[in-house]
Amino acid sequence: MGGNRRIGLLGGSFNPAHGGHRRISLFARDALKLDEVWWLVSPGNPLKPRKGMAPLPARVGSAIAQARRAPIRVTAIERQLGTRYTVDTLAALTRRYPKKQFVWLMGSDNLAQFHRWRDWRRIARTMPIAVIARPGYTDAVVASPAMAWLRRFRVPLSSLTNGGAWSAPALVTLRFDPDPRSATAIRRGDPDWAARFTGPPVRDQLTHRIILAQEETPAP
């Protein structure tokens, strides 16, 4: 794994993972000059309805399939860390991997509701945040309580790509051709997608543990 590597963290339900996740991850990797991106597949998210949420192994399996042959590592490490909230997950990751530099990757749809997350200001103080434009959320982001606080910490992209040490809070906006794909639309068109990922057990690409379908409910 090596030290002093720059890692982008993309969290989500991945219910299922799709080409949009892959595309924004590779775009962010190139834009921020990252070594790789870690997809943090959440065991559960109370900001999203539990109905229709596929088992964790199926969601991880879909993410591994989408990440194939890309510098993306799929993990459900929240289970092993025993963390319930994203703020605690990120703190635990920075303790476990002290030589890595992390940046939190977030779609503009999540930034619009970021103020609802537990200790969201502490998340911003833990590592830089890179926001990736998503269609239809510009007005909501501009008007969000989180943006009112984060606006003073906006930095140019060059501040994260010049090779120096990263500091936080720092907010950078990545603008590119938005990807309209969504997991909601995929589930609507293919409600039985998870059945394709019920084969052999999947292994976490970061912890190397087998991922079992057990009930856990971490929060953002």
Side-chain angles (χ1 to χ4, degrees):
M1 297 277 292
N4 301 315
R5 290 170 65 80
R6 294 190 159 189
I7 310 295
L9 301 176
L10 183 68
S13 300
F14 296 92
N15 185 43
H18 53 76
H21 293 124
R22 180 186 176 101
R23 184 165 176 251
I24 64 172
S25 297
L26 296 180
F27 169 79
R29 176 182 178 262
D30 290 343
L32 296 166
K33 295 181 169 57
L34 304 173
D35 292 291
E36 61 183 7
V37 174
W38 294 358
W39 285 357
L40 306 181
V41 184
S42 173
N45 183 343
L47 294 183
K48 294 186 177 181
R50 293 184 62 134
K51 183 178 180 181
M53 187 65 67
L56 181 60
R59 292 185 283 120
V60 170
S62 76
I64 290 173
Q66 283 292 336
R68 189 172 291 123
R69 295 185 298 279
I72 298 170
R73 198 181 297 263
V74 179
T75 179
I77 196 172
E78 283 176 300
R79 274 198 172 167
Q80 182 177 335
L81 295 174
T83 52
R84 177 171 172 79
Y85 297 96
T86 295
V87 64
D88 298 321
T89 299
L90 301 189
L93 286 174
T94 56
R95 288 193 299 269
R96 177 174 287 209
Y97 304 102
K99 293 184 178 180
K100 299 190 188 304
Q101 291 185 297
F102 292 109
V103 57
W104 181 247
L105 305 177
M106 176 182 288
S108 52
D109 55 330
N110 278 324
L111 182 58
Q113 60 163 359
F114 192 40
H115 62 284
R116 298 174 59 194
W117 294 26
R118 170 71 66 89
D119 287 346
W120 59 270
R121 290 181 182 85
R122 186 150 64 94
I123 294 175
R125 293 187 178 105
T126 301
M127 63 186 63
I129 296 174
V131 176
I132 302 165
R134 286 199 63 179
Y137 288 94
T138 302
D139 292 341
V141 168
V142 169
S144 72
M147 192 60 189
W149 185 83
L150 285 166
R151 189 173 288 111
R152 75 195 80 172
F153 302 113
R154 295 184 77 163
V155 298
L157 177 60
S158 59
S159 70
L160 298 185
T161 59
N162 61 9
W166 288 349
S167 62
L171 176 70
V172 64
T173 301
L174 303 180
R175 302 191 182 281
F176 80 124
D177 181 26
D179 196 305
R181 285 173 286 191
S182 74
T184 301
I186 292 172
R187 291 194 304 273
R188 189 179 299 120
D190 184 12
D192 298 321
W193 69 267
R196 296 196 298 276
F197 299 96
T198 57
V202 292
R203 189 176 295 275
D204 191 296
Q205 294 183 329
L206 185 62
T207 68
H208 307 295
R209 293 189 175 188
I210 294 294
I211 297 174
L212 303 174
Q214 62 193 64
E215 287 290 324
E216 293 191 65
T217 312

